[in-house]
Amino acid sequence: MKSTEAQTPAIQVLERSFAILDVLASHQDPVSLKQISETTGLHPSTAHRILNDLAIGRYVDRPEAGAYRLGMRLLELGNLVKARLDVRDAALEPMRELHKFTHQPVNLSVRQGDEIVYIERTYSERSGMQVVRAVGGRAPLHLTSVGKLFLASDDPQRVRAYATRTGLAGHTRNSLTDIAALEREMAMVRQRGVARDDEELELGVRCMAAGIYDDQGKLVAGLSISAPADRLEEAWLGRLKDTAAQISAALGYRG
């Protein structure tokens, strides 16, 4: 029995889906449709219909006829949430210190598909930077410094597949819209270990970025400094790399 109305989902099918997932989560082995139905109080046909929809979304697996277990999609989402929370927690104080050093916006971004998502920013009104992506904002990989870090971590075939999917659409006259130019840029990023956005996403804004790695050596986020094009200082690059390395170490990276 729910204690308050706020604890009950407004959409009944979601409440029923949550109940089914809770049953599956409480068992290590696959659970039969009959047991799911009895535990949730749902009619077998209703439970079966919901389970089929969950299976389509990979939230539920069906290892054998009439038996179900939690699906890999939940693991993928759980790992994504964990990585974001851990990265944000580890990054916030170093980001504040980097912002104090540069007096320009410092951004933390992660990859989601063919885009980066901004998950944290530190900035002040004094920076004069109005044209920046807000937390939760998205941008194409090939137009951003952090996005280039993620593309550079892919093999050439994946980079070409990205170019084919997206068409390498540009936002400014500086945008990389040609696969050959993008591949040359990726080679430089791999060689230098840092990436740049030279007014490719927005005119008047330049960025530099360094990668953040987890305990498995996987690139999980990027740390970037944004500044008006005429105020981005090369002297910040070393401090940026040191800050990214500090965050990576907090995540267990020992590279």
Side-chain angles (χ1 to χ4, degrees):
M1 181 103 181
K2 303 288 188 294
S3 58
T4 66
E5 184 179 352
Q7 292 177 314
T8 303
I11 303 175
Q12 188 180 55
V13 70
L14 290 179
E15 182 181 13
R16 292 173 171 178
S17 298
F18 297 156
I20 289 174
L21 292 174
D22 284 342
V23 171
L24 297 180
S26 66
H27 293 80
Q28 280 193 317
D29 298 323
V31 185
S32 69
L33 175 61
K34 178 181 178 182
Q35 187 173 356
I36 294 170
S37 175
E38 291 175 348
T39 305
T40 61
L42 296 173
H43 190 278
S45 63
T46 301
H48 185 258
R49 185 170 62 250
I50 295 172
L51 284 161
N52 280 344
D53 287 343
L54 290 171
I56 291 172
R58 296 173 53 235
Y59 294 95
V60 164
D61 286 338
R62 191 162 30 210
E64 56 192 67
Y68 303 85
R69 64 187 178 194
L70 294 179
M72 292 300 294
R73 182 59 178 157
L74 290 171
L75 178 62
E76 294 168 1
L77 293 175
N79 285 337
L80 184 61
V81 170
K82 178 180 180 295
R84 290 180 183 177
L85 290 175
D86 288 349
V87 169
R88 183 186 280 115
D89 290 344
L92 194 53
E93 190 54 38
M95 288 175 66
R96 287 172 178 156
E97 292 301 314
L98 182 59
H99 171 66
K100 289 178 185 178
F101 179 74
T102 63
H103 301 292
Q104 298 297 333
V106 176
N107 314 289
L108 182 68
S109 312
V110 298
R111 180 176 186 171
Q112 191 170 83
D114 290 339
E115 299 175 308
I116 63 158
V117 181
Y118 296 82
I119 62 172
E120 192 58 78
R121 285 181 62 226
T122 55
Y123 70 101
S124 64
E125 295 302 325
R126 290 183 305 164
S127 70
M129 280 289 297
Q130 301 300 320
V131 189
V132 292
R133 289 298 195 252
V135 171
R138 296 169 176 269
L141 296 175
H142 68 290
L143 300 183
T144 62
S145 55
V146 170
K148 290 177 184 178
L149 291 174
F150 280 102
L151 281 176
S153 72
D154 282 344
D155 59 47
Q157 290 77 16
R158 288 182 179 272
V159 175
R160 285 192 286 272
Y162 167 84
T164 300
R165 284 195 307 274
T166 64
L168 296 181
H171 283 202
T172 77
R173 61 178 177 270
N174 291 352
S175 299
L176 295 176
T177 58
D178 175 74
I179 182 60
L182 180 63
E183 288 177 333
R184 288 194 295 271
E185 182 88 354
M186 294 304 94
M188 286 192 293
V189 171
R190 294 184 190 104
Q191 179 182 0
R192 298 171 181 172
V194 294
R196 300 170 185 272
D197 160 16
D198 185 17
E199 300 184 72
E200 296 161 54
L201 181 64
E202 299 177 63
L203 289 176
V205 180
R206 294 172 61 211
C207 303
M208 54 175 63
I212 295 172
Y213 300 84
D214 66 9
D215 60 339
Q216 302 299 311
K218 179 183 177 183
L219 178 66
V220 293
L223 187 69
S224 63
I225 301 170
S226 304
D230 59 350
R231 283 159 56 186
L232 189 73
E233 299 183 16
E234 290 302 310
W236 297 341
L237 189 58
R239 185 68 172 264
L240 172 66
K241 293 170 69 174
D242 289 346
T243 303
Q246 178 186 350
I247 299 168
S248 297
L251 298 177
Y253 180 60
R254 295 293 178 263

